[in-house]
Amino acid sequence: MFDRHSSTDLSYETLVVKLPPNTPQPKYGLGIGFDHGWLGSTGELPGHNTAAFYLPQQDATVVIEVNTDIPSKHHRDPAPELFRALAQIVTPNDVP
C-alpha cells in the first residue's frame, strides 16, 4: 500500500493498526474492505466490474476484471461473485 501524503509504502503493521479487528462482520476503512482476513475493494462502471483482494496470511492476491455489469443469478455483481467462488477453492478457510 502506498501513502500518497508521505510518498512512502505503508507497512503491513501500519495497515493492521489502522484497520478494525478481524471479526465476522465485513469492515471498510481507508477505502479498503476487510472481510475474513482479505483486504481489498470492488468497483463498477457501466459494462465493467472489478474485484481486487489480498490475503496477507497466505500472501495471496486475486484480481478479477469482467466486461459486464449484469448481475449473477443471485443478483450480485459478477466480479465479487467470481472472487468468492475462487476463494472457496483456493482458500476454503477464508471465504468472504
Side-chain angles (χ1 to χ4, degrees), residues 18-90:
K18 292 185 177 185
L19 289 171
N22 190 9
T23 61
Q25 295 79 28
K27 302 286 188 257
Y28 197 80
L30 297 174
I32 300 170
F34 187 65
D35 191 359
H36 290 79
W38 288 93
L39 301 166
S41 183
T42 61
E44 181 181 334
L45 291 171
H48 188 75
N49 199 250
T50 63
F53 288 90
Y54 175 63
L55 184 62
Q57 303 91 299
Q58 296 191 23
D59 195 27
T61 302
V62 176
V63 178
I64 297 174
E65 296 183 36
V66 294
N67 289 331
T68 184
D69 58 358
I70 298 171
S72 71
K73 66 181 178 179
H74 303 291
H75 307 288
R76 297 182 184 142
D77 290 334
E81 183 89 349
L82 288 169
F83 165 71
R84 279 188 290 281
L86 183 59
Q88 287 176 341
I89 296 166
V90 179

